[in-house]
Amino acid sequence: MGPEGTCFECGVFPAKLIFPPDYPLSPPKMQFTCEMFHPNIYSDGRVCISILHAPGDDPMGYETSAERWSPVQSVEKILLSVVSMLAEPNDESSANVDAAKMWRDDREQFNKIAERLVRKTLNLPYP
Protein backbone atom coordinates (compact mmCIF):
# COMPACT_ATOMS: atom_id res chain seq x y z
CA MET A 1 0.00 0.00 0.00
CA GLY A 2 1.06 3.53 -0.65
CA PRO A 3 2.39 5.28 2.45
CA GLU A 4 0.08 7.50 4.46
CA GLY A 5 0.47 11.24 3.94
CA THR A 6 2.00 10.87 0.46
CA CYS A 7 0.71 11.20 -3.09
CA PHE A 8 0.61 7.37 -3.22
CA GLU A 9 -1.59 7.04 -0.10
CA CYS A 10 -4.32 4.36 -0.30
CA GLY A 11 -2.93 2.89 -3.53
CA VAL A 12 -2.51 -0.87 -3.71
CA PHE A 13 0.55 -1.53 -5.84
CA PRO A 14 1.12 -5.22 -6.62
CA ALA A 15 4.71 -6.29 -7.03
CA LYS A 16 6.75 -9.45 -7.20
CA LEU A 17 10.00 -10.42 -5.54
CA ILE A 18 12.20 -12.77 -7.55
CA PHE A 19 14.69 -14.71 -5.46
CA PRO A 20 17.92 -15.89 -7.10
CA PRO A 21 19.17 -19.46 -6.58
CA ASP A 22 21.94 -18.22 -4.27
CA TYR A 23 19.59 -16.20 -2.03
CA PRO A 24 20.33 -14.90 0.63
CA LEU A 25 23.88 -14.31 -0.61
CA SER A 26 22.47 -12.31 -3.54
CA PRO A 27 19.52 -9.94 -3.31
CA PRO A 28 16.12 -10.61 -4.79
CA LYS A 29 14.80 -8.38 -7.57
CA MET A 30 11.57 -6.48 -7.10
CA GLN A 31 9.23 -5.41 -9.86
CA PHE A 32 5.86 -3.70 -9.67
CA THR A 33 3.29 -5.49 -11.81
CA CYS A 34 1.14 -2.40 -12.20
CA GLU A 35 1.84 0.92 -13.87
CA MET A 36 4.16 3.10 -11.76
CA PHE A 37 5.66 6.57 -12.19
CA HIS A 38 8.42 7.20 -9.68
CA PRO A 39 12.04 8.37 -9.80
CA ASN A 40 13.35 5.05 -8.45
CA ILE A 41 11.22 2.70 -10.53
CA TYR A 42 12.10 1.84 -14.13
CA SER A 43 9.33 2.09 -16.74
CA ASP A 44 9.00 -1.72 -16.71
CA GLY A 45 8.33 -1.68 -12.94
CA ARG A 46 11.77 -2.78 -11.71
CA VAL A 47 12.74 -1.16 -8.42
CA CYS A 48 16.09 0.60 -8.13
CA ILE A 49 16.97 0.90 -4.45
CA SER A 50 20.25 0.43 -2.59
CA ILE A 51 19.09 -2.47 -0.43
CA LEU A 52 18.49 -4.55 -3.60
CA HIS A 53 21.91 -3.83 -5.11
CA ALA A 54 24.56 -6.56 -5.01
CA PRO A 55 26.65 -6.64 -1.83
CA GLY A 56 30.02 -4.97 -1.59
CA ASP A 57 31.36 -1.65 -2.73
CA ASP A 58 29.51 0.38 -5.34
CA PRO A 59 31.62 0.57 -8.50
CA MET A 60 30.27 4.10 -9.07
CA GLY A 61 31.11 5.15 -5.50
CA TYR A 62 27.58 6.41 -4.83
CA GLU A 63 26.49 3.90 -2.17
CA THR A 64 28.36 2.55 0.79
CA SER A 65 28.52 -1.22 1.23
CA ALA A 66 26.36 -0.79 4.36
CA GLU A 67 23.50 0.56 2.20
CA ARG A 68 23.61 -2.38 -0.22
CA TRP A 69 22.33 -5.94 0.10
CA SER A 70 23.47 -8.07 2.97
CA PRO A 71 22.35 -11.66 3.69
CA VAL A 72 20.96 -10.47 7.05
CA GLN A 73 18.31 -8.34 5.30
CA SER A 74 14.75 -9.61 5.46
CA VAL A 75 11.77 -9.42 3.13
CA GLU A 76 10.15 -7.15 5.71
CA LYS A 77 13.14 -4.77 5.55
CA ILE A 78 12.94 -4.73 1.73
CA LEU A 79 9.23 -3.87 1.82
CA LEU A 80 9.75 -1.16 4.46
CA SER A 81 12.55 0.32 2.34
CA VAL A 82 10.35 0.37 -0.76
CA VAL A 83 7.47 2.03 1.13
CA SER A 84 9.96 4.60 2.41
CA MET A 85 11.25 5.08 -1.15
CA LEU A 86 7.69 5.76 -2.35
CA ALA A 87 7.37 8.46 0.30
CA GLU A 88 10.81 9.98 -0.24
CA PRO A 89 12.29 9.31 -3.68
CA ASN A 90 16.00 9.60 -4.30
CA ASP A 91 15.93 11.91 -7.32
CA GLU A 92 19.74 12.07 -7.37
CA SER A 93 19.99 8.45 -8.49
CA SER A 94 16.99 7.98 -10.72
CA ALA A 95 15.82 4.99 -12.68
CA ASN A 96 13.16 7.14 -14.36
CA VAL A 97 14.71 10.47 -15.34
CA ASP A 98 11.37 11.99 -16.39
CA ALA A 99 9.80 11.16 -13.03
CA ALA A 100 12.83 12.53 -11.16
CA LYS A 101 12.74 15.79 -13.12
CA MET A 102 9.01 16.17 -12.54
CA TRP A 103 9.42 15.34 -8.81
CA ARG A 104 11.96 18.20 -8.54
CA ASP A 105 10.45 20.76 -10.91
CA ASP A 106 6.70 20.19 -11.06
CA ARG A 107 5.51 18.43 -7.92
CA GLU A 108 1.88 19.32 -8.65
CA GLN A 109 1.96 17.42 -11.97
CA PHE A 110 3.82 14.51 -10.34
CA ASN A 111 1.12 14.31 -7.66
CA LYS A 112 -1.62 14.30 -10.32
CA ILE A 113 0.02 11.34 -12.07
CA ALA A 114 0.40 9.53 -8.73
CA GLU A 115 -3.27 10.19 -7.90
CA ARG A 116 -4.29 8.72 -11.28
CA LEU A 117 -2.18 5.62 -10.55
CA VAL A 118 -3.69 5.26 -7.06
CA ARG A 119 -7.21 5.45 -8.49
CA LYS A 120 -6.27 2.95 -11.20
CA THR A 121 -5.02 0.43 -8.60
CA LEU A 122 -8.37 0.75 -6.83
CA ASN A 123 -10.36 0.45 -10.08
CA LEU A 124 -11.79 3.93 -9.55
CA PRO A 125 -12.46 6.30 -12.44
CA TYR A 126 -10.14 9.25 -12.78
CA PRO A 127 -12.00 12.56 -13.09
Side-chain angles (χ1 to χ4, degrees):
M1 292 207 45
E4 196 174 311
T6 73
C7 58
F8 294 102
E9 183 174 9
C10 296
V12 179
F13 302 101
K16 60 184 176 180
L17 280 168
I18 302 149
F19 294 87
D22 64 345
Y23 175 84
L25 299 177
S26 293
K29 295 184 183 329
M30 185 172 184
Q31 184 173 17
F32 284 94
T33 58
C34 64
E35 182 183 354
M36 289 297 288
F37 186 75
H38 186 279
N40 307 118
I41 301 173
Y42 290 99
S43 59
D44 66 359
R46 287 177 298 132
V47 174
C48 181
I49 190 171
S50 299
I51 192 174
L52 295 179
H53 293 163
D57 292 327
D58 179 5
M60 306 300 255
Y62 181 74
E63 302 163 336
T64 67
S65 60
E67 295 174 296
R68 296 166 70 90
W69 178 256
S70 161
V72 299
Q73 304 291 8
S74 66
V75 171
E76 180 182 21
K77 172 83 186 224
I78 294 168
L79 296 177
L80 288 172
S81 295
V82 170
V83 169
S84 177
M85 174 202 76
L86 288 175
E88 297 177 34
N90 178 358
D91 62 359
E92 306 257 329
S93 175
S94 59
N96 183 327
V97 175
D98 294 334
K101 183 171 177 9
M102 191 179 293
W103 172 262
R104 281 191 304 268
D105 301 340
D106 191 352
R107 191 69 58 89
E108 185 177 334
Q109 183 62 26
F110 183 92
N111 289 344
K112 284 180 184 177
I113 291 171
E115 180 185 347
R116 180 185 60 79
L117 294 175
V118 166
R119 295 183 69 79
K120 190 173 181 178
T121 70
L122 300 172
N123 293 317
L124 297 172
Y126 188 72

Coordinates of all heavy atoms in Angstrom, one line a residue, residues 19 22-28 49-56 64-75 77-78:
F19 N 13.5 -14.3 -6.3 CA 14.7 -14.7 -5.5 C 15.7 -15.5 -6.3 O 15.2 -16.5 -6.9 CB 14.2 -15.5 -4.2 CG 13.4 -14.7 -3.3 CD1 12.1 -14.5 -3.4 CD2 14.1 -14.0 -2.2 CE1 11.3 -13.8 -2.5 CE2 13.4 -13.3 -1.3 CZ 12.0 -13.1 -1.5
D22 N 21.0 -18.3 -5.4 CA 21.9 -18.2 -4.3 C 21.5 -17.3 -3.2 O 22.3 -16.8 -2.3 CB 23.3 -17.8 -4.8 CG 23.3 -16.4 -5.4 OD1 22.2 -15.9 -5.7 OD2 24.4 -15.9 -5.6
Y23 N 20.1 -17.0 -3.1 CA 19.6 -16.2 -2.0 C 19.9 -16.9 -0.7 O 19.7 -18.1 -0.7 CB 18.1 -16.0 -2.2 CG 17.4 -15.3 -1.1 CD1 17.4 -13.9 -1.0 CD2 16.8 -16.0 -0.1 CE1 16.8 -13.3 0.0 CE2 16.1 -15.4 0.9 CZ 16.1 -14.0 1.0 OH 15.5 -13.4 2.0
P24 N 20.3 -16.3 0.3 CA 20.3 -14.9 0.6 C 21.7 -14.2 0.3 O 21.9 -13.1 0.7 CB 20.0 -14.8 2.1 CG 20.7 -16.1 2.7 CD 20.5 -17.1 1.6
L25 N 22.6 -14.9 -0.3 CA 23.9 -14.3 -0.6 C 23.7 -13.2 -1.6 O 24.4 -12.2 -1.6 CB 24.9 -15.4 -1.1 CG 25.2 -16.5 -0.1 CD1 26.2 -17.5 -0.7 CD2 25.8 -15.9 1.2
S26 N 22.8 -13.3 -2.6 CA 22.5 -12.3 -3.5 C 21.1 -11.8 -3.3 O 20.2 -12.5 -2.8 CB 22.5 -12.9 -5.0 OG 23.9 -13.2 -5.3
P27 N 20.8 -10.5 -3.6 CA 19.5 -9.9 -3.3 C 18.4 -10.4 -4.3 O 18.8 -10.8 -5.4 CB 19.8 -8.4 -3.5 CG 20.8 -8.4 -4.5 CD 21.7 -9.6 -4.2
P28 N 17.2 -10.4 -3.8 CA 16.1 -10.6 -4.8 C 16.0 -9.4 -5.7 O 16.6 -8.3 -5.4 CB 14.9 -10.8 -3.9 CG 15.2 -10.1 -2.6 CD 16.7 -10.1 -2.5
I49 N 16.8 0.4 -5.8 CA 17.0 0.9 -4.4 C 18.2 0.2 -3.9 O 18.5 -1.0 -4.2 CB 15.7 0.6 -3.6 CG1 15.8 1.3 -2.2 CG2 15.4 -0.9 -3.5 CD1 14.4 1.2 -1.5
S50 N 18.9 0.9 -3.1 CA 20.2 0.4 -2.6 C 20.2 -1.0 -2.0 O 21.0 -1.8 -2.2 CB 20.8 1.4 -1.6 OG 21.0 2.7 -2.1
I51 N 19.2 -1.2 -1.2 CA 19.1 -2.5 -0.4 C 19.0 -3.7 -1.4 O 19.4 -4.8 -1.0 CB 17.9 -2.5 0.6 CG1 18.0 -3.6 1.5 CG2 16.6 -2.4 -0.2 CD1 16.9 -3.6 2.6
L52 N 18.6 -3.5 -2.6 CA 18.5 -4.5 -3.6 C 19.7 -4.6 -4.5 O 19.7 -5.4 -5.5 CB 17.2 -4.4 -4.4 CG 15.9 -4.6 -3.6 CD1 14.7 -4.4 -4.5 CD2 15.9 -5.9 -2.9
H53 N 20.7 -3.8 -4.3 CA 21.9 -3.8 -5.1 C 22.9 -4.9 -4.5 O 23.0 -5.0 -3.3 CB 22.6 -2.5 -5.2 CG 21.7 -1.5 -5.9 ND1 21.9 -0.1 -5.8 CD2 20.7 -1.6 -6.8 CE1 21.1 0.5 -6.6 NE2 20.3 -0.4 -7.2
A54 N 23.6 -5.5 -5.4 CA 24.6 -6.6 -5.0 C 25.5 -6.1 -3.9 O 25.8 -4.9 -3.8 CB 25.4 -7.0 -6.2
P55 N 25.8 -7.0 -3.0 CA 26.6 -6.6 -1.8 C 28.0 -6.2 -2.3 O 28.5 -6.4 -3.4 CB 26.7 -7.9 -1.0 CG 26.4 -9.0 -1.9 CD 25.5 -8.4 -3.0
G56 N 28.7 -5.5 -1.3 CA 30.0 -5.0 -1.6 C 30.0 -3.5 -1.9 O 29.0 -2.8 -1.8
T64 N 27.4 3.3 -0.1 CA 28.4 2.5 0.8 C 27.9 1.1 0.8 O 26.8 0.7 0.5 CB 28.4 3.1 2.2 OG1 27.1 2.8 2.8 CG2 28.6 4.6 2.3
S65 N 28.9 0.2 1.2 CA 28.5 -1.2 1.2 C 27.4 -1.5 2.3 O 26.7 -2.4 2.1 CB 29.8 -2.1 1.5 OG 30.4 -1.7 2.7
A66 N 27.4 -0.6 3.3 CA 26.4 -0.8 4.4 C 25.0 -0.5 3.8 O 24.0 -1.0 4.4 CB 26.7 0.1 5.5
E67 N 24.8 0.2 2.8 CA 23.5 0.6 2.2 C 23.0 -0.5 1.3 O 21.8 -0.6 0.9 CB 23.6 1.9 1.4 CG 23.9 3.1 2.2 CD 24.1 4.3 1.4 OE1 25.0 4.3 0.6 OE2 23.2 5.2 1.5
R68 N 23.9 -1.4 0.8 CA 23.6 -2.4 -0.2 C 23.2 -3.7 0.4 O 23.1 -3.8 1.6 CB 24.8 -2.6 -1.1 CG 25.1 -1.3 -1.9 CD 26.5 -1.3 -2.5 NE 26.6 -2.2 -3.7 CZ 26.3 -1.9 -4.9 NH1 25.9 -0.7 -5.2 NH2 26.4 -2.9 -5.9
W69 N 22.8 -4.7 -0.4 CA 22.3 -5.9 0.1 C 23.3 -6.6 1.0 O 24.5 -6.6 0.9 CB 22.1 -6.9 -1.1 CG 21.6 -8.2 -0.6 CD1 22.3 -9.4 -0.6 CD2 20.3 -8.5 -0.1 NE1 21.5 -10.4 -0.1 CE2 20.3 -9.9 0.3 CE3 19.2 -7.8 0.2 CZ2 19.2 -10.5 0.8 CZ3 18.1 -8.4 0.7 CH2 18.1 -9.8 1.0
S70 N 22.7 -7.2 2.0 CA 23.5 -8.1 3.0 C 22.6 -9.3 3.3 O 21.4 -9.1 3.3 CB 23.7 -7.3 4.3 OG 24.1 -8.2 5.3
P71 N 23.2 -10.5 3.4 CA 22.3 -11.7 3.7 C 21.5 -11.6 5.0 O 20.6 -12.3 5.1 CB 23.4 -12.8 3.8 CG 24.5 -12.3 3.0 CD 24.6 -10.8 3.2
V72 N 21.8 -10.6 5.8 CA 21.0 -10.5 7.1 C 19.7 -9.7 6.8 O 18.8 -9.6 7.7 CB 21.8 -9.8 8.2 CG1 23.0 -10.7 8.6 CG2 22.2 -8.4 7.9
Q73 N 19.5 -9.1 5.6 CA 18.3 -8.3 5.3 C 17.1 -9.3 5.2 O 17.3 -10.5 4.9 CB 18.5 -7.6 4.0 CG 19.6 -6.7 3.9 CD 19.5 -5.5 4.8 OE1 18.6 -5.3 5.6 NE2 20.4 -4.6 4.6
S74 N 16.0 -8.8 5.5 CA 14.7 -9.6 5.5 C 13.8 -9.1 4.4 O 13.9 -7.9 4.0 CB 14.1 -9.6 6.8 OG 13.6 -8.3 7.1
V75 N 12.8 -9.9 4.0 CA 11.8 -9.4 3.1 C 11.1 -8.2 3.7 O 10.7 -7.3 3.0 CB 10.8 -10.6 2.8 CG1 9.6 -10.1 2.0 CG2 11.5 -11.6 2.0
K77 N 12.3 -5.9 5.7 CA 13.1 -4.8 5.5 C 13.1 -4.2 4.1 O 13.1 -3.0 3.9 CB 14.6 -5.1 5.9 CG 15.6 -4.1 5.7 CD 15.7 -3.1 6.7 CE 16.6 -2.0 6.3 NZ 17.5 -1.4 7.0
I78 N 13.1 -5.1 3.1 CA 12.9 -4.7 1.7 C 11.6 -4.0 1.5 O 11.6 -2.9 1.0 CB 13.0 -5.9 0.8 CG1 14.3 -6.6 0.8 CG2 12.6 -5.5 -0.6 CD1 14.4 -8.0 0.1

